[in-house]
Amino acid sequence: MRAFGRLISLLLAGVYFGRVAFAVFQDEAYKSDWQWMNIGEYKCVIEDNHGSFLILSDLGDQSMLSSVNRTDGKILYRRPVPFKAFDLMLVDGGKKMILKVGRGQFELIDTENSFHLGTYVGGFQSSCIPNYSGIRFEGDKLKVLDKITDLEIFHAVLPNEPRTIKYVDTDQVGYLSLLVEHNDFYYYSEYHDGELTNKWSRDESITDIVDFTYVSEVDNNTNMIYSEWNTEGSLNIFRAYIYRVKQNWGRLKHLLVHHKKSPGAILTDILKEDEEETLKQRNLKFGFLKKLIVATKKGKIAAINMENGEKLWAIDTNLSDIIALETAKKESEIFIFTNRGLTLVVDLRNQYEPHIKQKATEFATEKVGRLGSSDDFYLRGSDGSTIMFADNSINDFSSVIVDHTSSSINAYIVENGALHQIWKIETQEDEEIVAFAPRDDAPVSNIGTILGNRTVLYRYLNPNLASYIVGNKKLNLITVNVVDLVTGNIIHSVYENNTLNLDQPINLVFGEHWIIYSYFSHNIVAEQRISVIEMYESLQPNSRVSVGSIVQDALKNDIRPQFVSQSFIFPEVIKEMIISRTKFGITSKAIVLKLENGQITYLPKFLLNARSVEKSKMSATDLQEFMAAPYVSTIPINDNFIITHHRNIVDGNKAKLISIATNLESTSLICSLSHDIFCTKISPSSQFDKLSPSFEKGKLFATIIGLLCVCYFLRPIVDTRKLKSKWLVKENYL
């Protein structure tokens, strides 16, 4: 019985630790992603020929026409128009509309497809003003009156809070429909059977995002594990081993007590489907439970659950000039910066009811920067040159602070609490800096690239580098520069001879040892180009210039990289480009692209290989290199890499594409923030630390239990045979 007891203890321990090592099941499309489809402020609401609402709203420096289902409030379509419209008039029986784009300026639009039909000249009468004929407001009552006798037909009681009426319609008999706005919420109600009933509502309060930050929910279990690791690190190997055994034994005893020492209860708990609380703990453990904090153009601060898109809370700051949000004090506070400097602080210690604390730094601010990972910030003045600290109690900062404008790059160091400029790069008269990217600070997992013959090309991994692109407005050309941030020396320049359209987006990212940039070329044929530059210590395999055991002096570093580059054609215009981020940097990098057509896709970095050549020039050894692919001039869009699926993302003027690492190395959170908000998860190297939904854990545990039982019953037989063998006793097989 003692042996059987030990067997049961071993089994329960194995089952317990198998249970706490939660698996993350593979997500399906539209389950791991979500979208806030916003319309914005309703400038005009009218009824179209299909009985739906046609809504005119602002979209940056343009306008947008949206169709909303009258029954459930769902968006049928949203179509940007290339004008800033202030009013509209329906003509030709609603088949066409006239947009008022200025004083005495009108444009004709096809209502069905939003096609521009040309400039309109003629009379204009707005269709946006609600028809109050036969309607009277008295206190909290909306009365419908007979147009001839002016007698009341029926009335509806309105909510007490003040609301703005955007649309009203009645048949003067017993029907009334009403669309009202209150604090950026829009409510549609209908009057039936003597009562005004709300049919649907739309929240338009989180639109036109100007900046963001995020906070992670605290995992007490993870903190406890880190605490145990720190304790083990302070002990010698024997005491650390004993300490770990005691901690695991304590967890086992807690498991047995929790299940009243019942093996059946433990197995039932393991094999049953994950409950909501279990799923929440799993998501917390793997870093999926984060709050996305956003600031809108109207001054609202809102927290959104990044797992499902649920709005958790919102605060109205009444600030219309917010330029930055930053977390501080271990994510317990959020600093709100405006054009006047540090203006407000949001206290997050009560995560359900955050409150605002006043804190003013009167300084005309254009940009905010954080000093490393500290809670210290610097502010750049509206004149583009003056820089000061957000807090006078600034500590010395050992790194170089680099700031840039459209005409210069400036570098500073902090000494005795003051900034001192160490170098400056300025552009010429017809030039401007159109893109700037410091080297990504993600962890480096590999110092070399392994070739097909098992030799190594050592990467140039100087962390004190940045890249910037200078556009020449006169010649329509760009120059890509690589600069040493400590000395200010330009160590490499690439001149693009193609004629460019500088009005199209120019993007730049700087990874471990590579730079990727994109631009739209008009050279012979208009095409979107995406180019890559890679840096190595030497292009000779197994030749390493730096010494791994010696820390290089940044001021005396005389090692210069060798460069190799390549260029590709991409079939869509690229609006924005970022690098995927993971916790340890082991996962293959992905280049996430936001396209002009509203989709978001990504390219694995190995497709953008600067050393790639045509297949006819590749040797047998080259083909053996990991992820080696021959050079193809055009990179097609792979449908499997379009992470927005059928969704259409609408952007305003200030669009932000971000990547946030999770505790799972395979998984990165990707979000697009602008007029719409969209978030999803990607796994560039596949989900190597996730289990598929078809994984049958019941059969796995049944197999383990069966093998343990077989071993338990076979052990006495084996021991008996060994004993007989020692005493030279022959087995009698009859």
Side-chain angles (χ1 to χ4, degrees), residues 18-37:
R19 175 65 173 170
V20 298
F22 294 109
V24 177
F25 295 101
Q26 183 179 10
D27 293 308
E28 299 177 1
Y30 314 118
K31 293 184 179 180
S32 65
D33 56 6
W34 53 266
Q35 180 185 6
W36 277 67
M37 296 180 64

Side-chain angles (χ1 to χ4, degrees), residues 230-295:
N230 293 332
T231 303
E232 290 179 8
S234 63
L235 303 174
N236 60 47
I237 186 171
F238 299 105
R239 289 186 176 181
Y241 179 77
I242 295 172
Y243 175 79
R244 177 170 293 191
V245 170
K246 287 182 178 179
Q247 295 300 316
N248 290 341
W249 177 247
R251 291 189 180 94
L252 179 58
K253 288 195 297 183
H254 175 75
L255 174 73
L256 295 174
V257 171
H258 179 71
H259 293 89
K260 300 179 181 180
K261 300 180 181 180
S262 171
I266 296 175
L267 290 176
T268 302
D269 185 50
I270 293 170
L271 298 177
K272 71 179 181 180
E273 294 294 327
D274 292 334
E275 299 176 348
E276 183 177 352
E277 187 63 27
T278 304
L279 292 173
K280 182 178 179 181
Q281 283 299 121
R282 184 196 71 186
N283 291 333
L284 180 62
K285 179 183 290 292
F286 291 113
F288 292 165
L289 296 187
K290 300 181 186 295
K291 295 185 182 71
L292 181 66
I293 314 295
V294 297

